Amino acid sequence: MADLVYIEYNFKVTPLQPASDILIAQLGEVGFDSFVENEEGVQAYILKDLWTEENVKNVQILSNENFDISFNFKEIEQQNWNAEWEKNFEKIVVDDVCTVRAPFHEKPNTKFDIVIEPKMSFGTGHHETTHMMLQHILEHDFTGKSVLDMGSGTGVLAILAAMKNAGSIDAIDIDNWCYLNALENKERNNCSQINVFEGDVSLLKDQKYNIIIANINRNILLADIPEYAKCLTKDGILFLSGFYKEDIPVITEKCNEVGLKFEKNLEKNNWVAVKYVF
């Protein structure tokens, strides 16, 4: 991994919202996997092997007349990322109960204390989708439950499930860097019940879970919901995020096709995190 090279884009965005959120979502669809929001816009990162300049120029919001977005880009070596996220990463507190912080932050006074070193992985808790999924986990009983965290990123959702006494947890991400980072963060938080895997939905054959958490994006969720349903126990719960409020009907329709029913959603800045049950 030492010679891995990322491309860093610096986007200046006016107005910041909702343009920054839309930009992040659309960049995620063309392969960007890490984002840092700032006062001027967004820094976005993509593996050089997955990058073409033409793909970025075709991102729809860049040609939207309602927003003024300019950008530049450069190569960035993986080891330079630590300084970048340390400069920008502030700890967050969710519902006064759960803190997500880096190793260099002081130990908090909250019930749950998650220490992560995100590096190039998605899922620091700062983005609305991760924040709301943490809220869902805080609200539900995970004691003794079997859990799947799909698209696990840093592993932060799996870690909170472990801290809430889940029985066993599988954390899966297709990205090698996320896989390695989640392994590190699992050890950092002493979560021995988390099993980390590199791969996609094809790893789920014959698996059964009480709870599935998937914070990915709309298109992947629509493709994978039938597989999630096969893996859920009959009283299972499916938490989904990574999409907008306007996407709820199409996501719910797909869930209904496999017997899952909408129960509840959280909303923050037009992003949602939705609970489905059998």
Side-chain angles (χ1 to χ4, degrees):
M1 297 294 293
D3 58 351
L4 210 60
V5 176
Y6 271 77
I7 303 296
E8 176 192 80
Y9 272 73
N10 284 282
F11 293 92
K12 291 187 177 181
V13 180
T14 306
L16 273 177
Q17 293 299 343
S20 291
D21 284 344
I22 297 171
L23 177 62
I24 288 171
Q26 293 184 358
L27 289 171
E29 292 179 357
V30 297
F32 284 78
D33 59 20
S34 302
F35 308 94
V36 177
E37 296 183 71
N38 55 51
E39 293 179 354
E40 293 187 324
V42 176
Q43 290 169 270
Y45 298 84
I46 183 172
L47 274 170
K48 185 177 180 181
D49 290 346
L50 302 178
W51 166 78
T52 68
E53 190 174 348
E54 200 59 37
N55 277 356
V56 177
K57 289 181 179 178
N58 290 332
V59 169
Q60 292 178 354
I61 192 173
L62 297 180
S63 57
N64 189 316
E65 294 179 356
N66 295 315
F67 307 112
D68 181 16
I69 303 176
S70 61
F71 62 87
N72 57 61
F73 62 91
K74 64 181 180 182
E75 287 190 10
I76 179 170
E77 297 293 338
Q78 181 178 308
Q79 59 265 30
N80 292 339
W81 177 244
N82 282 347
E84 188 61 37
W85 72 257
E86 284 190 23
K87 184 174 67 180
N88 291 281
F89 183 36
E90 297 179 1
K91 69 179 181 182
I92 66 159
V93 180
V94 180
D95 296 343
D96 298 321
V97 177
C98 174
T99 299
V100 181
R101 64 183 177 93
F104 54 82
H105 291 132
E106 290 185 11
K107 185 174 175 62
N109 227 6
T110 52
K111 181 177 181 180
F112 300 105
D113 175 27
I114 301 175
V115 182
I116 62 169
E117 196 163 349
K119 298 183 180 176
M120 280 292 185
S121 300
F122 178 79
T124 62
H126 290 78
H127 193 269
E128 288 88 343
T129 58
T130 312
H131 192 280
M132 289 184 292
M133 291 294 253
L134 290 167
Q135 288 180 303
H136 272 310
I137 295 171
L138 289 171
E139 289 176 4
H140 286 79
D141 181 14
F142 276 69
T143 304
K145 305 290 188 183
S146 55
V147 178
L148 168 65
D149 179 6
M150 198 72 194
S152 52
T154 62
V156 62
L157 300 179
I159 290 167
L160 181 57
M163 290 181 174
K164 293 206 67 185
N165 300 312
S168 64
I169 305 159
D170 289 342
I172 299 175
D173 203 292
I174 198 168
D175 182 80
N176 180 257
W177 184 247
C178 290
Y179 162 72
L180 295 173
N181 188 218
L183 282 173
E184 293 176 3
N185 290 325
K186 162 195 166 177
E187 296 300 325
R188 185 173 284 109
N189 290 275
N190 300 311
C191 296
S192 59
Q193 69 267 56
I194 298 176
N195 305 298
V196 183
F197 301 97
E198 181 180 355
D200 58 18
V201 73
S202 64
L203 296 180
L204 300 183
K205 294 175 182 176
D206 302 320
Q207 301 297 315
K208 282 292 181 183
Y209 302 97
N210 301 121
I211 300 172
I212 295 178
I213 304 162
N215 182 14
I216 311 178
N217 66 53
R218 192 189 91 149
N219 293 339
I220 293 176
L221 292 175
L222 287 171
D224 291 352
I225 283 169
E227 297 304 314
Y228 300 155
K230 291 177 187 176
C231 295
L232 274 174
T233 57
K234 64 180 180 179
D235 58 347
I237 298 172
L238 176 63
F239 294 110
L240 300 178
S241 195
F243 53 95
Y244 295 112
K245 182 178 179 180
E246 300 83 58
D247 297 319
I248 291 178
V250 68
I251 295 289
T252 298
E253 181 181 3
K254 179 60 69 172
C255 285
N256 290 166
E257 289 175 5
V258 293
L260 286 160
K261 298 177 177 61
F262 174 94
E263 183 168 289
K264 176 183 180 180
N265 77 282
L266 303 176
E267 181 181 345
K268 190 174 183 181
N269 296 330
N270 206 43
W271 293 95
V272 292
V274 188
K275 176 185 178 183
Y276 294 93
V277 296
F278 279 124

